[in-house]
Amino acid sequence: MGLTLSYQFYDLPLQHPFTISRYTVSIQKTVVVCISDGEISGYGEATVNPYYHSTKERLSASLLKVKPIVEATTEMHPSELWPRLSSNIADDYFALCAVDIAYWDFYSRKHSKTMRSFWSRENDATPLTSYTIGIDSLAVMKHKIIEKPWPIYKIKLGTPNDLFIVESLRKITDAIFRIDANCAWNAQQTIDNARILKELNVEFIEQPLKAEDVDGMKRVRKHSVLPIIADEGCQREADVATCSEIFHGINIKLMKCGGITPALRMIENAKSKGLLLMAGCMTESTVGISGLCQIAPLLTYLDADGALLLKEDIATGVDFNFGQIVYSNDFGTGVKML
């Protein structure tokens, strides 16, 4: 029997409304792609995200466009399939990601291997994942930390009271802090804030400036006492070269770059340039998170808490024990739909 590609949209309710400097979301819409031969199935995910022009209509159109390509595939390696997919939906990296991970998952299960075993050893060490605290009232942000004891928190900022927020949260936990300003600061703010944040046990700052502010980032990289990690400034493979000149590290997001296949190339390139390596997630289900965690052994930092922010999940797979990845015993990504 040949392959089939199918997909289904879901509404993922969040435990708490999630706010960053650009928007607030209470229900995350997402699509799960399934690639199956009738016996073995692989799963991938892409979220609806207005900032990246990812809509239900666009995702559906892209998936229908590549459906015949996937269904004509036989024993092709995922790295060979990706160029065929990207030549047909080159502008829809979210859809590319969902299909690429679903096919990697299927391919791994077909060969009775975990996905990560194609590029790392089963028991290689992995970084702890952070847990994200979105922008909210200070009382709510404190409550989230007390409610979810964790070794590393990623604090979303971009308010008039950013330093006060971090100082206040520091009083209730000794956990490591990572700061994500989501493009809300300017260069001088970042340089000044970094000095104070370092004293508050902040590990690094993620994307403080707008992605196009290259001159500002050059100043920040030269004068910041904390490492600066690119997020919005590093979306595709071609961005790694630019980021190596203005950031200390990059945050790879599978939906932004188009999946596991290009992410592996980005990791190799970034390592050759001496960059710190992080991978992050969207607010997504365990389907997407289980795919993301397959590249964790290759990383310096990990932000894979997307499914932990949900009120209800749609799958099982990778889990976490106080930040530590707990992999499923199954092949592929280990995902099972509920």
Side-chain angles (χ1 to χ4, degrees):
M1 181 178 176
L3 293 183
T4 60
L5 183 152
S6 59
Y7 61 92
Q8 183 174 340
F9 283 93
Y10 295 88
D11 287 344
L12 306 175
L14 277 61
Q15 287 185 38
H16 305 283
F18 185 73
T19 300
I20 65 172
S21 63
R22 291 190 294 268
Y23 56 80
T24 298
V25 62
S26 297
I27 295 176
Q28 177 63 61
K29 295 184 182 299
T30 198
V31 66
V32 172
V33 171
C34 175
I35 295 176
S36 179
D37 65 358
E39 295 182 0
I40 294 171
S41 297
Y43 300 95
E45 181 176 5
T47 60
V48 170
N49 190 311
Y51 183 78
Y52 294 103
H53 311 292
S54 178
T55 64
K56 286 183 70 172
E57 294 75 20
R58 190 179 187 206
L59 287 165
S60 294
S62 296
L63 294 172
L64 288 172
K65 202 169 183 181
V66 296
K67 180 177 167 73
I69 298 169
V70 173
E71 293 184 347
T73 300
T74 52
E75 286 293 311
M76 189 178 295
H77 189 274
S79 63
E80 296 176 278
L81 178 61
W82 195 87
R84 299 190 183 194
L85 300 173
S86 63
S87 64
N88 280 267
I89 52 170
D91 61 339
D92 192 345
Y93 283 80
F94 278 54
L96 262 174
C97 171
V99 178
D100 181 67
I101 295 177
Y103 187 72
W104 262 111
D105 188 22
F106 169 79
Y107 186 87
S108 304
R109 293 175 195 252
K110 191 77 174 173
H111 288 80
S112 301
K113 296 178 69 173
T114 63
M115 190 193 291
R116 66 189 183 281
S117 68
F118 283 89
W119 48 79
S120 62
R121 292 170 299 190
E122 292 286 343
N123 296 316
D124 279 355
T126 57
L128 299 178
T129 184
S130 52
Y131 181 82
T132 304
I133 307 297
I135 296 171
D136 213 314
S137 70
L138 186 55
V140 170
M141 294 176 83
K142 284 183 175 180
H143 174 73
K144 288 177 181 178
I145 287 176
I146 293 166
E147 177 184 75
K148 190 78 171 180
W150 212 251
I152 306 168
Y153 293 104
K154 181 178 187 176
I155 313 295
K156 294 283 189 177
L157 297 178
T159 78
N161 307 306
D162 285 344
L163 292 178
F164 177 73
I165 289 170
V166 181
E167 288 167 350
S168 301
L169 297 181
R170 174 48 71 214
K171 292 175 183 177
I172 64 167
T173 177
D174 293 328
I176 293 168
F177 284 171
R178 297 168 180 173
I179 298 303
D180 186 356
N182 281 114
C183 312
W185 297 347
N186 60 39
Q188 193 57 51
Q189 263 183 299
T190 304
I191 293 164
D192 293 342
N193 288 350
R195 295 191 187 101
I196 298 167
L197 293 171
K198 186 176 183 181
E199 298 300 315
L200 293 168
N201 195 22
V202 167
E203 192 171 25
F204 62 74
I205 300 171
E206 190 178 341
Q207 196 68 46
L209 276 57
K210 289 182 170 58
E212 60 271 19
D213 190 359
V214 174
D215 290 340
M217 268 312 309
K218 286 179 179 177
R219 275 186 63 208
V220 169
R221 186 185 181 188
K222 185 176 180 180
H223 297 291
S224 174
V225 297
L226 286 176
I228 310 294
I229 309 294
D231 183 2
E232 286 85 350
C234 188
Q235 298 186 36
R236 315 273 187 264
E237 289 181 69
D239 296 331
V240 177
T242 305
C243 288
S244 69
E245 299 175 359
I246 58 176
F247 289 93
H248 301 100
I250 60 171
N251 181 5
I252 297 170
K253 289 190 174 170
L254 299 183
M255 290 184 208
K256 294 181 186 179
C257 73
I260 292 284
T261 301
L264 292 172
R265 297 194 293 258
M266 290 174 76
I267 289 168
E268 186 176 1
N269 190 3
K271 284 187 174 179
S272 74
K273 298 180 186 305
L275 288 167
L276 297 169
L277 270 168
M278 175 181 176
C281 62
M282 305 298 189
T283 306
E284 56 196 89
S285 78
T286 289
V287 176
I289 297 301
S290 296
L292 167 63
C293 285
Q294 302 305 309
I295 62 171
L298 308 177
L299 305 173
T300 323
Y301 310 117
L302 181 66
D303 177 32
D305 67 340
L308 298 175
L309 305 175
L310 302 180
K311 187 182 292 182
E312 299 170 12
D313 209 332
I314 55 174
T316 59
V318 158
D319 203 352
F320 297 96
N321 178 19
F322 200 59
Q324 183 65 53
I325 299 171
V326 180
Y327 288 106
S328 161
N329 292 325
D330 205 353
F331 297 129
T333 65
V335 163
K336 292 181 180 176
M337 300 304 296
L338 294 174

